[in-house]
Amino acid sequence: MGCCLWLLAVVPSGAAPRKEKLIAAQISVISETSWPAFQGYLEELKACGYNTIILRVFHNRGDRYHGPIGHEARNRFMEGVYFQNGAVPVIADLLTPAGAAAHRVGLRVIAWMTTLQAAYGRKVAFPLTSYDLEKDCLYEEKQLLDPSECSSQGLLLQIFRDLAAGPIDGILLQDDLMLRHHQGFFKKIPELSPNPDDLYRFSPDRRKITAYRKRFFRWRDDQALILQELANAIFSACRQIRPGLICAQNVHYEPFLNQDWGRNWFACTPKSLAASQADYLMVMAYQDRIKRELELADDHLSPIMEQIFMQGKNLFPDKAIFKFEVPRPDGQNRTVLLSELQETLCQAQHCGAEELVLTPCNYPEEAACLLLLENKLK
């Protein structure tokens, strides 16, 4: 671990003992416009069988505002967070009333928060350095934090400490704690800021990367560990504020299908994940997205999902938990997608998955998809 993170997180702590199986509804947007109405929705979630909500507490430019947020707050900031803190803009303190409402009905609250995208309009002293293929040069991504920089680490730890002090039971790191194959030239660490020609093989016009060199793979492995060290520092800082806090991180499905994909595309490897001090590695096993991204025929989805489930449980039996995609209430082919979700849920259970997250659960029709599993098993 880098010296900065050692100084910022001096008391490392691992995952807390499990108290109960996690059955979570992830809410990206509170659709209700009043707190009494939201309380009623939470009661429906509890009756459905959920014991936890995962609530979005960040707001990126272009995101939908949560329903109870008034017009004045919406006009104040274009981006920020929904909890009190001393580091970044506060759209409104949504977390306090939402957390109280959830706890009144017996639901735990996991706050879902961004990481490398958490600058929110602040001038970043040391932004992420990346490679521009078209211009054949390095450039700075002004609104992305460099995970190797002390100032970026300090900002994130301050944000998450303030978040941990709120009315929550856990945190979930957004899936932006990753680096694409052209990102992450860490200027202050010479061995992690190589010449692009040492990493990539180019087409004759240098407009396309045709292959990776051996140095690229070592570079990505090192990046993966740096990202995980930052995640662990965040977990440690939060647990110092609130001992026993549930800590989770989103994980892309690709590392469980092809380890090269995980390393090359996201700087995520089995070795880096094995170092995680999270309670949960939340694998984004979004069945419809996987089907579209891999261009799978209907009958080819099942073996792909089984591989993800088996790899997840084999590699991380005590930490892997799978997230499933809920079709929109007004979406096309909803009946087909619901059947597909039902089969995937049962398949995950047969592979040993006893905990799950459904997302998004912004409306009762979406949250009710949990009953698909119960109905299938009757």
Side-chain angles (χ1 to χ4, degrees):
M1 180 181 286
C3 62
C4 298
L5 293 179
W6 275 117
L7 292 172
L8 291 165
V10 294
V11 186
S13 58
R18 297 280 175 87
K19 295 181 179 179
E20 63 176 323
K21 292 182 175 64
L22 186 142
I23 308 296
Q26 182 163 304
I27 300 173
S28 56
V29 178
I30 296 176
S31 58
E32 293 77 18
T33 58
S34 70
W35 290 114
F38 181 59
Q39 174 102 25
Y41 177 54
L42 294 176
E43 291 170 354
E44 291 184 44
L45 292 181
K46 183 70 173 178
C48 254
Y50 294 97
N51 57 30
T52 304
I53 63 168
I54 298 175
L55 181 64
R56 176 174 64 90
V57 296
F58 62 91
H59 188 95
N60 292 327
R61 191 177 295 264
D63 285 347
R64 289 176 57 194
Y65 289 90
H66 288 292
I69 303 303
H71 291 292
E72 181 179 346
R74 297 182 186 209
N75 293 330
R76 187 180 303 126
F77 297 113
M78 300 285 291
E79 53 189 353
V81 298
Y82 289 103
F83 57 93
Q84 294 294 346
N85 76 97
V88 293
V90 178
I91 303 287
D93 182 10
L94 177 107
L95 187 56
T96 297
H103 289 151
R104 278 195 295 269
V105 303
L107 291 171
R108 294 179 297 186
V109 179
I110 294 179
W112 165 29
M113 179 59 194
T114 48
T115 55
L116 300 190
Q117 296 183 41
Y120 296 120
R122 288 174 53 122
K123 183 178 180 180
V124 179
F126 299 99
L128 187 67
T129 300
S130 302
Y131 175 65
D132 187 323
L133 184 60
E134 290 188 3
K135 297 181 179 179
D136 191 16
C137 66
L138 298 180
Y139 72 103
E140 293 182 341
E141 300 198 53
K142 298 294 186 181
Q143 289 304 306
L144 287 180
L145 301 176
D146 183 334
S148 72
E149 284 287 347
C150 291
S151 59
S152 298
Q153 297 164 5
L155 172 63
L156 285 173
L157 294 191
Q158 181 183 353
I159 292 171
F160 275 92
R161 285 191 184 104
D162 290 342
L163 177 58
I168 63 172
D169 304 282
I171 60 167
L172 169 63
L173 305 187
Q174 167 67 325
D175 58 7
D176 61 339
L177 191 61
M178 59 90 176
L179 296 167
R180 299 288 186 182
H181 75 155
H182 68 289
Q183 294 179 316
F185 290 79
F186 303 147
K187 293 181 177 179
K188 291 190 176 181
I189 309 176
E191 62 271 24
L192 291 181
S193 187
N195 187 304
D197 287 284
D198 295 332
L199 303 176
Y200 313 114
R201 294 185 186 277
F202 297 98
S203 60
D205 62 0
R206 296 185 67 88
R207 294 284 182 171
K208 184 178 180 181
I209 295 172
T210 59
Y212 301 122
R213 298 182 184 274
K214 289 184 179 179
R215 180 69 185 86
F216 172 84
F217 304 120
R218 298 196 303 273
W219 181 58
R220 296 298 278 176
D221 287 340
D222 290 339
Q223 287 178 323
L225 292 175
I226 285 176
L227 291 173
Q228 191 58 60
E229 287 169 357
L230 177 55
N232 289 345
I234 291 172
F235 298 150
S236 179
C238 289
R239 287 170 175 147
Q240 290 175 41
I241 300 298
R242 190 179 293 275
L245 191 77
I246 298 169
C247 293
Q249 63 187 90
N250 273 328
V251 182
H252 294 270
Y253 70 85
E254 284 86 350
F256 302 96
L257 284 180
N258 185 317
Q259 293 182 12
D260 288 344
W261 293 354
R263 177 193 58 212
N264 299 353
W265 298 352
F266 305 112
C268 178
T269 67
K271 182 178 180 180
S272 66
L273 292 175
S276 175
Q277 294 177 4
D279 298 285
Y280 294 103
L281 298 173
M282 293 192 171
V283 182
M284 298 181 291
Y286 300 156
Q287 69 287 345
D288 188 49
R289 180 186 298 181
I290 291 171
K291 185 177 176 181
R292 286 184 280 108
E293 289 182 349
L294 301 184
E295 300 180 346
L296 300 174
D298 291 343
D299 58 345
H300 290 173
L301 176 63
S302 180
I304 291 294
M305 298 305 298
E306 181 175 0
Q307 181 179 343
I308 293 171
F309 300 144
M310 294 305 296
Q311 277 287 88
K313 297 308 291 184
N314 288 338
L315 290 173
F316 308 107
D318 299 323
K319 291 189 177 185
I321 181 172
F322 302 102
K323 302 174 73 173
F324 301 94
E325 185 178 9
V326 174
R328 291 170 54 90
D330 58 349
Q332 294 182 343
N333 302 320
R334 178 171 167 78
T335 301
V336 173
L337 294 176
L338 284 173
S339 177
E340 189 177 84
L341 171 60
Q342 186 179 47
E343 293 299 326
T344 304
L345 288 172
C346 291
Q347 186 179 13
Q349 189 175 64
H350 292 154
C351 290
E354 298 180 339
E355 301 174 284
L356 62 85
V357 178
L358 292 187
T359 181
C361 288
N362 301 333
Y363 301 96
E365 299 91 336
E366 294 172 332
C369 288
L370 181 63
L371 301 177
L372 291 172
L373 181 59
E374 178 182 338
N375 294 340
K376 183 73 173 180
L377 295 177
K378 284 183 178 179

